[in-house]
């Protein structure tokens, strides 16, 4: 008797199993949480005293402008030098040094009242802030998965943005109700407290051949083009925070506070959405729209006699600025290896601070000749000069 051989089993289906698709890597990890604690400490310390120190200098018979000028001058100089310090000593050493320089001088600010003393404290704090934003920014980029970098940088922007929204008005309010010394002590203590978590962060060993520096970054078109576009949008940020309160009629003074809150709020929201979009479709697609929205926002703001136009213009500018912030930074990090993160962080922050400073100075000179509405419109037109590098970068 013969038996029938068993039939072979059916071949497995060749259709892909969606359930086995790899899950995206986690975004929020323990090292990133520790990094965010240092972000909060540095930002809270910086913004608590940003308006308080010029006020303290002025009350003591000094020059408020010199206090702010010393702070920003040291910040930009420190941002230029930090990449090489990071390359030699590593992230943790630079970040810890920055927090100490930001916090310790604040504790003793009110010990003396001379303008030379105030300027010296501002110089030290500016160097400290530069170290925290450049070394810390490069460290943040190294802690975020590459495929979620836009979203991660947006989250980092939110974490650093909240202390600025709260710290600026809180510092002035505390100074008027409790005096300068408690505010300075609080600003110093919050930065020094953040030093405690630095040893828990992953460190990169310093080396003599690491980051090439800002000048080398400027010579690289793939980094220089987005940096130029972002610096152009930062022109408008410096103008809005400096001149909007004096550009609108006195009868609209209540609107100014709303507008100055709307601008950073819209920028924060836009950074988040830009980060998520950029991770899915590429950040390069957002550089040009961010620039155009920023320029259009300033053009609408030029109608300074209209409350609706001012609020809408500032909100539109904030949205464009937030998109440009996230898109340019994400794009620059994607174009360098990990050893170049310090250069990217420094170049982007120099573009930020330098753009804001140049915008305020240039706008003031233009407004003195043309008036505020025309100066807003002129600035909008000047920003369109960055269309060439933005278009080439596509």
């Amino acid at each position: 008797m013969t038996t029938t051989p068993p039939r072979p089993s059916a071949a497995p289906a060749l259709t892909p199993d969606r359930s086995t698709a790899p899950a995206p890597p986690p975004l929020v990890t323990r090292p990133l949480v520790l990094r965010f604690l240092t972000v909060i400490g540095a930002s809270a310390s910086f913004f608590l005293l940003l308006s308080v120190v010029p006020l303290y200098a002025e009350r003591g018979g000094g020059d408020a402008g010199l206090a702010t000028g010393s702070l920003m001058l040291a910040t930009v100089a420190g941002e230029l030098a930090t990449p090489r310090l990071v390359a030699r000593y590593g992230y943790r050493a630079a970040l810890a040094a920055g927090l100490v320089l930001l916090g310790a001088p604040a504790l003793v600010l009110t010990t003396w009242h001379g303008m030379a003393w105030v300027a010296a404290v501002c110089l030290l704090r500016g160097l400290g802030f530069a170290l925290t934003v450049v070394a810390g920014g490069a460290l943040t980029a190294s802690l975020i998965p590459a495929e979620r970098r836009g979203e991660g940088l947006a989250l980092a922007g939110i974490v650093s943005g909240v202390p600025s929204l709260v710290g600026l008005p809180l510092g002035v309010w505390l100074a008027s109700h409790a005096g300068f010394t408690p505010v300075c002590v609080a600003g110093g203590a919050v930065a020094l407290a953040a030093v405690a978590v630095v040893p828990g962060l992953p460190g990169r060993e310093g080396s003599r051949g690491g980051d090439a520096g800002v000048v080398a970054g400027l010579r690289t078109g793939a980094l220089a083009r987005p940096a130029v576009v972002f610096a152009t949008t930062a022109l408008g940020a410096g103008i809005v925070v400096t001149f909007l309160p004096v550009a609108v009629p006195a009868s609209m003074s209540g609107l100014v506070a709303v507008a100055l809150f709307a601008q950073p709020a819209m920028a924060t929201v836009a950074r988040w959405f830009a980060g998520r979009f950029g991770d899915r479709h590429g950040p390069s697609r957002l550089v040009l729209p961010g620039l155009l929205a920023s320029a259009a926002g300033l053009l609408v703001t030029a109608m300074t006699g209209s409350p609706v136009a001012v609020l809408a213009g500032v909100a539109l500018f904030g949205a464009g600025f937030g998109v440009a912030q996230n898109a340019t930074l994400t794009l620059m990090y994607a174009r360098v290896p990990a050893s170049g993160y310090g250069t990217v962080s420094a170049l982007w922050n120099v573009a930020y601070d330098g753009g804001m400073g140049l915008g305020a100075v240039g706008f003031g000179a233009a407004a003195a000749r043309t008036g505020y509405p025309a100066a807003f419109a002129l600035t909008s037109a000047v920003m369109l000069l960055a269309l060439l590098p933005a278009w080439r970068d596509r």
Side-chain angles (χ1 to χ4, degrees):
M1 183 175 69
T2 61
T3 58
T4 303
R7 298 177 64 182
S9 59
L14 298 179
T15 56
D17 185 0
R18 297 182 182 271
S19 63
T20 62
L27 178 60
V28 179
T29 59
R30 182 179 181 275
L32 190 61
V33 171
L34 294 179
R35 167 60 189 141
F36 284 166
L37 291 177
T38 66
V39 170
I40 293 171
S43 296
S45 176
F46 183 79
F47 287 103
L48 268 174
L49 301 185
L50 184 58
S51 296
V52 170
V53 173
L55 186 60
Y56 175 76
E58 194 173 61
R59 295 276 179 88
D63 187 343
L66 180 59
T68 301
S70 300
L71 179 72
M72 299 312 298
L73 176 65
T75 299
V76 173
E79 288 167 349
L80 293 171
T82 299
R84 296 192 179 278
L85 296 176
V86 169
R88 183 161 188 173
Y89 300 107
Y91 293 136
R92 283 187 299 203
L95 180 57
L99 290 168
V100 171
L101 285 173
L102 189 60
L107 296 177
V108 296
L109 173 64
T110 56
T111 305
W112 287 279
H113 297 279
M115 191 60 218
W117 171 252
V118 174
V121 168
C122 290
L123 287 171
L124 290 174
R125 296 192 78 240
L127 289 173
F129 187 64
L131 284 166
T132 63
V133 296
V134 175
L139 177 58
T140 300
S142 71
L143 297 175
I144 298 171
E147 54 267 52
R148 302 187 69 181
R149 181 172 288 138
E151 186 179 1
L153 293 176
L155 181 60
I158 293 172
V159 172
S160 64
V162 171
S164 67
L165 288 174
V166 176
L168 273 173
L170 180 61
V172 175
W173 184 86
L174 285 176
S176 63
H177 288 78
F180 291 106
T181 299
V183 183
C184 293
V185 170
V190 72
L192 294 176
V195 178
V197 306
V198 172
L201 293 169
R204 189 194 70 181
E205 293 296 328
S207 64
R208 294 183 179 273
D211 278 318
V214 174
V215 175
L218 287 172
R219 293 172 180 167
T220 306
L223 299 181
R225 287 190 297 270
V228 168
V229 174
F230 178 59
T232 305
T233 62
L235 292 173
I239 291 168
V240 169
V241 300
T242 304
F243 289 99
L244 189 66
V246 296
V248 302
S251 59
M252 294 167 50
S253 58
L255 179 70
V256 172
V258 178
L260 290 180
F261 177 82
Q263 187 264 318
M266 286 296 296
T268 300
V269 173
R271 286 187 74 169
W272 174 257
F273 283 102
R276 291 181 63 86
F277 180 92
D279 286 341
R280 290 158 175 78
H281 307 287
S284 61
R285 297 186 179 188
L286 295 173
V287 174
L288 185 58
L291 172 64
L292 291 174
S294 300
L298 282 191
L299 183 61
V300 175
T301 308
M303 294 180 282
T304 55
S306 168
V308 174
V310 169
L311 190 57
V314 169
L316 178 58
F317 169 80
F321 184 58
V323 169
Q325 278 182 302
N326 185 275
T328 55
L329 185 58
T330 305
L331 192 60
M332 291 167 71
Y333 276 130
R335 291 176 172 176
V336 297
S339 61
Y341 286 173
T343 293
V344 167
S345 181
L347 183 58
W348 189 84
N349 279 286
V350 168
Y352 197 163
D353 297 329
M356 288 187 68
L358 288 174
V361 172
F363 184 89
R369 293 170 172 79
T370 66
Y372 291 115
F376 274 111
L378 179 62
T379 304
S380 175
V382 170
M383 290 174 65
L384 295 180
L385 295 176
L387 283 174
L388 178 59
W391 182 261
R392 287 190 62 187
D393 217 60
R394 289 171 58 89

